[in-house]
Amino acid sequence: MPDASWIAREFPQADGLIYLNHAAVSPWPARTAEAVQRFADENVRLGASRYPEWRRAEQALREQLARYINAPSADDVALLKNTSEALSVVACGLDWRWGDNVVSTDQEFPSNRMPWEAQRKWGVSLRRENLWVDDAEAALMAACDDRTRVLAVSSVQYASGIRLDLKRLGSFCRERGILFCVDAIQSLGALRLDVAELQVDFAMADAHKWLLGPEGIALFYCRGEVRRDLELRQFGWHMAHNAGDYDALEWRPAASARRFECGSPNMLGIHALTASLSLLEEAGQDAVADRILENSRYLLDNLGAMAGVELVTPAAAGRYAGIVSFRPVQEDSVEVHRKLQAADILCACRGGNVRLSPHFYITRDKLDKALEVICSSI
Ligand SMILES: Cc1ncc(COP(=O)(O)O)c(C=O)c1O
């Protein structure tokens, strides 16, 4: 883990601001702003004269992301607009049969519910399982039957912060021939996601949360063996095997996951995310995860010890990641959130809870300041 001066240089946030809102939209590191500035300057001075280099940057990002999630190949990675688009590519691409079902949880963000609900017209039902049980993974597995085509879960729930055991779910799915789809936006950049080890078929995450990148550029991992199981629903020049040969009348979809990218890439986002990801790589995936878990542990321990606070996020090891949510017993969450915001402590209200989400670079003194304000607000 780089030292405090590295952190101060990369995260020169406004004086007094305490940013505990990485589960919403994260601040960029300085190097990301510099990459965007360089790209903007180049556009002003040279337009797109160096477009072939931008194409190389695009491919380099796919390779960087593939390394980051231990995908077998960069061919398994598409660069899409956002998590919702990637989930829609999967849900709208499968060849549903009447009576199929999708198993999920009753805590998903709308983007991991709506695309599945939209398949109702093909006779597909969505089973939304309760996670507030002793063994959430067992409940999800028990909800699967021989008509279950997909198990679709968030790695970490956006409001409660519950983290699921993806390894256990992945191996269950692979044994049963069920597709395993992981909305990873609330963990990618915070916790290691090894798609090979976890036996994930589809994973998606936009850049603007734990990856510390901009909105509007997302990773979509699609396991090579199931890539052709997804019928394509969007079409354009960029997805063709011969992309760039505009005169050719014959085309077929690229063999790689580029087949899911229909038109012009988000070059600005590509340059920005490349920089953000390089920072996370430099800090080290495991070191970042350790620091995030330490921060969450600290908040869970201290909030848990406060009379007047009900912890929402489970405090058991393995059940939480970067989100710590709580509810004041006597006070309204909205009011406590308002007081935190008034003290320049950025966080969120989700699902009736106050949600704190510090990244790895957030120091203990900042957490203490937030705890102080919470203590005096409840
Ligand atoms: C779990 C989860 N999935 C999906 C989304 C939406 O992501 P996107 O805007 O990239 O579609 C969010 C945003 O908060 C989220 O928390």
Side-chain angles (χ1 to χ4, degrees):
M1 172 65 65
D3 60 16
S5 66
W6 181 92
I7 287 180
R9 187 170 53 76
E10 290 292 356
F11 297 98
Q13 285 160 16
D15 272 353
L17 181 70
I18 298 183
Y19 211 95
L20 308 183
N21 211 17
H22 297 83
V25 178
S26 289
W28 295 353
R31 71 174 71 186
T32 303
E34 285 153 18
V36 168
Q37 190 63 58
R38 272 196 305 277
F39 188 66
D41 289 346
E42 185 182 326
N43 273 268
V44 170
R45 287 190 311 106
L46 302 170
S49 359
R50 296 170 70 238
Y51 206 85
E53 279 189 36
W54 298 358
R55 291 298 303 268
R56 279 195 285 280
E58 176 191 338
Q59 183 54 17
L61 176 60
R62 287 196 199 89
E63 284 160 16
Q64 195 182 7
L65 285 165
R67 261 197 323 275
Y68 196 72
I69 61 170
N70 195 29
S73 156
D75 284 356
D76 303 327
V77 171
L79 302 173
L80 298 188
K81 282 202 297 286
N82 47 48
T83 320
S84 309
E85 184 185 31
L87 283 160
S88 298
V89 163
V90 177
C92 299
L94 289 168
D95 66 324
W96 300 106
R97 290 178 296 263
W98 199 267
D100 283 346
N101 69 69
V102 175
V103 171
S104 187
T105 85
D106 65 357
Q107 295 191 14
E108 298 300 321
F109 193 77
S111 302
N112 194 24
R113 171 173 47 78
M114 294 161 61
W116 310 112
E117 286 175 338
Q119 310 313 314
R120 208 177 282 145
K121 59 182 182 246
W122 308 115
V124 177
S125 59
L126 177 63
R127 300 180 173 176
R128 300 173 62 229
E129 296 307 306
N130 177 16
L131 291 182
W132 295 120
V133 291
D134 282 346
D135 186 343
E137 289 78 12
L140 287 165
M141 295 188 281
C144 296
D145 60 20
D146 58 359
R147 295 304 306 273
T148 303
R149 297 285 302 284
V150 183
L151 176 62
V153 296
S154 290
S155 46
V156 173
Q157 292 300 330
Y158 79 102
S160 68
I162 293 184
R163 170 180 166 192
L164 287 172
D165 181 343
L166 299 180
K167 189 160 185 194
R168 197 168 154 210
L169 294 175
S171 93
F172 169 82
C173 285
R174 192 59 57 83
E175 260 168 37
R176 301 291 183 93
I178 295 170
L179 293 165
F180 188 33
C181 180
V182 179
D183 172 345
I185 194 171
Q186 290 297 1
S187 67
L188 198 66
L191 303 181
R192 191 178 277 283
L193 179 81
D194 182 325
V195 290
E197 190 202 351
L198 301 176
Q199 308 194 69
V200 171
D201 293 295
F202 311 111
M204 49 287 287
D206 207 327
H208 61 274
K209 298 187 192 287
W210 302 93
L211 285 170
L212 301 171
E215 288 185 293
I217 176 116
L219 154 88
F220 172 43
Y221 164 75
C222 178
R223 188 163 72 91
E225 289 78 356
V226 296
R227 197 178 302 146
R228 285 192 167 75
D229 295 353
L230 295 182
E231 188 72 37
L232 297 168
R233 303 287 179 207
Q234 303 187 98
F235 299 88
W237 68 274
H238 191 266
M239 68 187 287
H241 79 290
N242 51 355
D245 183 355
Y246 308 117
D247 298 325
L249 292 179
E250 294 298 321
W251 65 277
R252 58 178 188 279
S256 71
R258 184 165 55 77
R259 59 176 39 215
F260 303 115
E261 305 170 358
C262 59
S264 292
N266 174 0
M267 282 298 180
L268 184 56
I270 285 168
H271 283 78
L273 178 54
T274 300
S276 301
L277 205 53
S278 80
L279 175 130
L280 291 169
E281 286 181 318
E282 205 173 303
Q285 282 211 54
D286 291 333
V288 166
D290 287 350
R291 285 284 280 270
I292 287 174
L293 292 174
E294 273 169 31
N295 278 343
S296 295
R297 178 83 265 155
Y298 188 73
L299 289 173
L300 286 165
D301 286 348
N302 282 279
L303 289 168
M306 255 183 226
V309 162
E310 185 192 327
L311 276 184
V312 174
T313 305
R319 269 290 178 241
Y320 63 87
I323 291 176
V324 174
S325 290
F326 68 94
R327 227 174 265 146
V329 182
Q330 314 264 10
E331 185 51 283
D332 193 14
S333 289
V334 174
E335 187 51 24
V336 174
H337 176 248
R338 196 191 58 72
K339 287 181 180 157
L340 283 159
Q341 300 279 115
D344 255 358
I345 298 167
L346 266 273
C347 59
C349 235
R350 293 287 187 276
N353 317 317
V354 182
R355 183 183 73 181
L356 309 176
S357 50
H359 215 304
F360 78 101
Y361 64 89
I362 299 293
T363 46
R364 197 51 71 81
D365 55 314
K366 295 192 167 164
L367 301 184
D368 284 335
K369 180 79 194 1
L371 288 165
E372 237 171 69
V373 175
I374 293 166
C375 197
S376 63
S377 313
I378 54 176

